[in-house]
Amino acid sequence: MQRLFDKDVLTALVLLCIAAVFSTGSSSDPKDWIFPQLANYVIVAIAVLLLARVVIAAVMQHLPDTLKFSSEDRHAFIDVSVFLVVVLAYMFLIFGLGFWLSSLLMLVLTSVYLTLDKTRRNIGLALIVPVVICIVAYLIFTHVFYVPFPEAHWFRGLS
């Protein structure tokens, strides 16, 4: 049972899940299968190699390299989990609120959350910098590079 918490086993499982998620939804268009499928095959190959490494270590009777969490790791785990929730919410909101508004919200939330010293000055900077970044990015991408971005679907009737 201790082998299931081996770092290589857990990494292989995460890689296999990533490959499973990104292998769905590809079409017959060459740009949808050349690079993404090749990347998925590489991810699966790495996962298989990690699992083979665990099997070889078990046969050679080496002790598993299990995960050990300290109190510092717990805080990092919470930060990563919060950031994952924010990114998943961003992926959902991007189609409802549009690219720019959802990007601004994500940048503001993550910069405020990840600010270590929650002083008035730092919170102000965590609010101002994402706004400036979004304005500059908007001007560059829409007026210089003419990149189309997803528009808001939830507010179509309002315009």
Side-chain angles (χ1 to χ4, degrees), residues 57-69:
V59 168
M60 302 289 263
Q61 297 181 348
H62 290 134
L63 292 175
D65 186 16
T66 58
L67 292 174
K68 294 172 184 65
F69 289 106

Side-chain angles (χ1 to χ4, degrees), residues 94-98 150-157:
I94 196 168
F95 296 105
L97 296 177
E151 295 181 10
H153 293 293
W154 293 344
F155 302 116
R156 275 196 183 151

Side-chain angles (χ1 to χ4, degrees), residues 3 25 55 66 94 106 117:
R3 291 259 179 225
V55 169
T66 58
I94 196 168
M106 184 199 72
D117 285 332

Side-chain angles (χ1 to χ4, degrees), residues 93-112:
L93 291 176
I94 196 168
F95 296 105
L97 296 177
F99 178 79
W100 294 109
L101 183 57
S102 58
S103 295
L104 177 64
L105 287 173
M106 184 199 72
L107 286 173
V108 166
L109 286 174
T110 55
S111 64
V112 168

Side-chain angles (χ1 to χ4, degrees), residues 66-78:
T66 58
L67 292 174
K68 294 172 184 65
F69 289 106
S70 66
S71 63
E72 292 175 4
D73 294 335
R74 183 174 168 262
H75 294 295
F77 179 75
I78 291 171

Side-chain angles (χ1 to χ4, degrees), residues 29-150:
D29 188 13
K31 71 178 181 184
D32 285 341
W33 57 264
I34 291 174
F35 178 74
Q37 290 299 329
L38 179 62
N40 270 343
Y41 293 147
V42 170
I43 289 174
V44 169
I46 292 170
V48 168
L49 288 174
L50 287 171
L51 290 175
R53 183 176 166 182
V54 170
V55 169
I56 290 171
V59 168
M60 302 289 263
Q61 297 181 348
H62 290 134
L63 292 175
D65 186 16
T66 58
L67 292 174
K68 294 172 184 65
F69 289 106
S70 66
S71 63
E72 292 175 4
D73 294 335
R74 183 174 168 262
H75 294 295
F77 179 75
I78 291 171
D79 289 344
V80 169
S81 299
V82 167
F83 191 74
L84 179 66
V85 168
V86 169
V87 169
L88 290 174
Y90 170 73
M91 291 171 53
F92 173 72
L93 291 176
I94 196 168
F95 296 105
L97 296 177
F99 178 79
W100 294 109
L101 183 57
S102 58
S103 295
L104 177 64
L105 287 173
M106 184 199 72
L107 286 173
V108 166
L109 286 174
T110 55
S111 64
V112 168
Y113 179 76
L114 294 175
T115 300
L116 295 177
D117 285 332
K118 304 271 195 235
T119 63
R120 176 173 279 196
R121 180 182 182 278
N122 289 345
I123 296 295
L125 283 173
L127 295 172
I128 292 171
V129 170
V131 171
V132 171
I133 288 172
C134 282
I135 290 171
V136 170
Y138 174 78
L139 293 173
I140 290 172
F141 284 117
T142 58
H143 296 299
V144 175
F145 296 125
Y146 302 107
V147 176
F149 289 97

